[in-house]
Amino acid sequence: MRFYPANLDALLVELSNLDETLALFESLQQMPIAGVEEIVPAARTLLVHFRPSAIGFDALATQIASRDIRGKAREAGKLIEIPVHYNGEDLADVARELDISVEEVIRRHTGSDYNVAFCGFAPGFAYLSGGAGFVVPRRSTPRTRIPAGAVALAGGFSGIYPQASPGGWQIIGVTTSTMWDLGRDEPALLQPGYRVRFQDAGPLPETRVQVAAPVRPQATTVSEDYLQIETPGLQTLFQDLGRPGRAGQGVSASGALDRGALRAANRAVGNDPATACLEILMGGLTFTCQGQTVVAITGAQVSVEVLTAEGRFMRLFLYRTAIRSASVPRLPACAIIWRFVAVSFMSRCS
């Protein structure tokens, strides 16, 4: 094992091969180390996120290095069965590459269980190892669009595209199983450690089953109190605390650049600390407060101008120390993160 610092709160473990990686991943899942918050597996590495207040880099590396992963047999994970219509555009090419018949490709692909080694590339895209043991090259020319549900091979892995996207894997079939669904408690159908068994679903029906997209609620106006954006500036984004803990499913944490400023802004106006805010980069934002609103600005020091509806300048209340609690009217509130120094905005409050 080799250990590399990936951040102040992340450690990268490099191993010799996929088997060692999966064995260590399983060991750390079964016997967690205090202070470890998330483990993201890949082909030959594990990215370990930890709380520096609970455990240090050296202590964590020492504990991981002490794990005996030689010759460890993996426990059987949850079995997911995937029906496949083997009509892929590259199926015949794969058969020629392997020097076997198309029928034999299908028989072997459905004849052994695969293991979900890790996820990445796109939310819900799982890299499946083992199984038939096929090793085929990627396409020399990637496709600009591969349909959702495409079952494909590349290198020593099998995979299923969760949504339409570019890609260079060899397509051997298609499934109507939904690989990524935000309406489920666990959006990703396949998780690291799961087993996958492909089933031959026969010819594709003339009318292909379309997987319905999740129904999203329509945005509605629920109040006369709101923030009207006049000019968005160079870049203004809605940001919250992100989606930590989903990296193993191919979803990065994302979220605000300055999470402390986001929490402080929300506390100042009485919001839940995780409420989405406006994050402004390089300034230029102007907006109008319609109705009764409470606005907090946190982050870098900036020059702020506020005008009344009559065009008079208003005095701002500035807090240079941390706000432990704030008593504010229970009104619709908007908290704003201002992340960079070279910014200014103008607001007319009516």
Side-chain angles (χ1 to χ4, degrees):
M1 294 182 200
R2 295 181 180 178
F3 300 91
Y4 303 95
N7 204 333
L8 296 176
D9 59 354
L11 173 153
L12 186 70
V13 186
E14 184 180 75
L15 297 112
S16 300
N17 51 53
L18 179 61
D19 289 339
E20 285 190 3
T21 303
L22 297 180
L24 180 58
F25 178 59
E26 185 173 281
S27 173
L28 294 174
Q29 284 188 313
Q30 293 178 348
M31 295 179 289
I33 297 174
V36 171
E37 296 192 324
E38 184 179 14
I39 305 172
V40 185
R44 290 179 52 199
T45 61
L46 291 180
L47 181 62
V48 183
H49 293 274
F50 62 93
R51 292 194 313 277
S53 60
I55 190 170
F57 180 96
D58 293 337
L60 178 58
T62 299
Q63 289 200 42
I64 294 176
S66 68
R67 298 295 175 96
D68 183 9
I69 58 175
R70 294 169 298 178
K72 291 288 185 180
R74 298 184 62 205
E75 292 187 3
K78 180 179 179 180
L79 176 63
I80 304 294
E81 295 182 337
I82 304 291
V84 180
H85 302 285
Y86 286 95
N87 64 339
E89 299 176 49
D90 303 315
L91 181 57
D93 292 338
V94 168
R96 281 192 292 270
E97 175 70 27
L98 297 172
D99 196 24
I100 57 178
S101 66
V102 167
E103 292 73 21
E104 184 66 8
V105 172
I106 298 172
R107 188 189 70 80
R108 294 188 189 181
H109 197 250
T110 57
S112 302
D113 292 351
Y114 282 80
N115 297 308
V116 180
F118 54 93
C119 298
F121 169 65
F125 188 97
Y127 289 77
L128 310 178
S129 64
F134 292 149
V135 178
V136 298
R138 295 171 180 264
R139 287 175 50 85
S140 57
T141 303
R143 292 184 172 91
T144 57
R145 187 180 187 278
I146 290 180
V151 179
L153 304 173
F157 295 102
S158 185
I160 306 168
Y161 284 80
Q163 58 264 333
S165 66
W169 288 35
Q170 307 274 6
I171 302 174
I172 62 172
V174 66
T175 181
T176 55
S177 297
T178 305
M179 309 310 298
W180 179 261
D181 183 357
L182 292 175
R184 292 192 294 240
D185 291 338
E186 288 293 341
L189 180 63
L190 304 181
Q191 309 271 348
Y194 282 13
R195 292 179 297 141
V196 175
R197 181 175 299 164
F198 292 106
Q199 298 176 325
D200 186 359
L204 188 67
E206 292 184 7
T207 303
R208 182 178 174 184
V209 177
Q210 297 293 329
V211 179
V215 178
R216 300 182 183 277
Q218 296 292 324
T220 57
T221 301
V222 297
S223 172
E224 294 182 355
D225 304 314
Y226 60 92
L227 209 65
Q228 179 175 318
I229 303 299
E230 308 293 352
T231 57
L234 182 64
Q235 177 173 294
T236 300
L237 304 173
F238 281 103
Q239 292 286 6
D240 57 13
L241 293 178
R243 306 294 180 270
R246 300 283 186 180
Q249 300 178 20
V251 181
S252 61
S254 300
L257 288 173
D258 188 342
R259 288 170 170 76
L262 182 143
R263 293 188 181 95
N266 277 317
R267 287 198 303 270
V269 299
N271 284 345
D272 182 280
T275 301
C277 296
L278 292 175
E279 184 178 65
I280 299 95
L281 173 66
M282 301 303 291
L285 174 70
T286 64
F287 61 86
T288 300
C289 298
Q290 300 289 355
Q292 301 184 75
T293 57
V294 180
V295 176
I297 305 167
T298 61
Q301 292 186 357
V302 294
S303 174
V304 178
E305 291 183 338
V306 181
L307 297 178
T308 66
E310 293 77 23
R312 296 194 303 271
F313 281 96
M314 291 184 62
R315 179 184 176 186
L316 293 181
F317 293 92
L318 301 179
Y319 299 89
R320 296 188 178 277
T321 59
I323 301 174
R324 294 185 178 275
S325 63
S327 176
V328 298
R330 299 185 64 83
L331 300 172
C334 174
I336 300 178
I337 295 178
W338 212 292
R339 187 63 184 85
F340 294 89
V341 175
V343 292
S344 64
F345 75 85
M346 181 178 295
S347 172
R348 300 183 300 277
C349 295
S350 57

